[in-house]
Amino acid sequence: AVAALSARLREGRPLISAWCSIPEPTIAGLLAAEAGFDAVTLDMQHGAHDIDSIMRTIPVIAAQGKPTIARVPVGGFTTVSRMLDAGAAAVIAPMVNSVEDARVFAAMAKYPPLGERSWGPHGGLMLSGLAPETYLKEANGLCLTLAMVETREALGAIDGILGVEGIDGIFIGPSDLSIALSGGSLDPEGTQVREALAHALARTRAAGKRIGIFSHTGLRTRELVRQGFDLITLSSDVALLRTGAQAELARAREG
Ligand code: 3PY
Ligand code: MG
């Protein structure tokens, strides 16, 4: 399950990931199994996941043969290697606004000589099935770093961020980006964001790296796949629960 994400990206097949805020392994397992998502993303920035819940959730997702992606809190660079140690296949770091942020992020995620990741990959070893020496050699390629581009500063520094060795790609936060670009309104699918996305896609391709993005709906996800995004997280456990419940209740109360 650790190698599944990087392998699939190498094949050039985009992934659609679930997004979980509720720290309950059963929810992540359900989204990986019956719902059929390609991966599950667990959120420590705005979601209620913490290190403990993530350590208990990763094996449930892995039991479905699916990779886990973890989003750490803003500036939570010390949490990055703990997520990889627990067996996450990728880490998303929010609000990476400068080359320096990107360098610190990459250093925490990659073993020497590239970075400064400290040894102790209990879950990574268990879930990759690799011997320690092999894991040490291969982990830098297997465990991916996605730096969130969701501010004007990050857009301005995009080539520098993409140029940091050890940064495998970027992940767009369209909501924060829309707030930043409009000067205070929420319009994640608006023209300003669309223009920024076209630029980010082109710069990422030029750098030979990967690009992911958060999407609110299936229709928008289809469009993003067509545009060439490599990883799209679709909706969230909370949003799916809300819309599913509202739809059934509305039917129940019709007439
Ligand atoms: C954003 O849209 O700002 C995000 O961080 C996606 O979760
Ligand atoms: Mg954001």
Side-chain angles (χ1 to χ4, degrees), residues 56-207:
R56 287 182 290 106
T57 303
I58 288 177
V60 178
I61 300 165
Q64 302 301 325
K66 307 277 172 77
T68 298
I69 301 164
R71 180 166 76 169
V72 298
V74 175
F77 297 121
T78 54
T79 308
V80 169
S81 61
R82 298 194 75 181
M83 297 294 99
L84 299 179
D85 288 346
V91 177
I92 296 174
M95 297 282 177
V96 173
N97 291 334
S98 65
V99 171
E100 185 49 29
D101 286 350
R103 283 208 187 104
V104 176
F105 177 28
M108 292 296 153
K110 304 293 183 182
Y111 286 119
L114 181 51
E116 298 162 22
R117 181 177 170 190
S118 164
W119 180 255
H122 47 90
L125 281 179
M126 183 174 73
L127 296 174
S128 67
L130 298 173
E133 279 297 326
T134 314
Y135 182 88
L136 178 60
K137 285 199 186 70
E138 295 191 2
N140 286 358
L142 297 179
C143 303
L144 306 183
T145 52
L146 297 172
M148 284 197 78
V149 168
E150 49 184 350
T151 61
R152 275 185 191 276
E153 295 91 312
L155 270 184
I158 196 164
D159 286 333
I161 291 169
L162 280 163
V164 172
E165 206 187 346
I167 292 295
D168 297 298
I170 57 174
F171 189 91
I172 306 286
S175 294
D176 276 314
L177 194 56
S178 73
I179 294 171
L181 294 180
S182 68
S185 22
L186 197 53
D187 187 12
E189 296 181 21
T191 312
Q192 284 175 309
V193 170
R194 282 170 190 270
E195 284 170 8
L197 292 189
H199 176 67
L201 257 169
R203 299 321 301 155
T204 306
R205 288 290 166 257

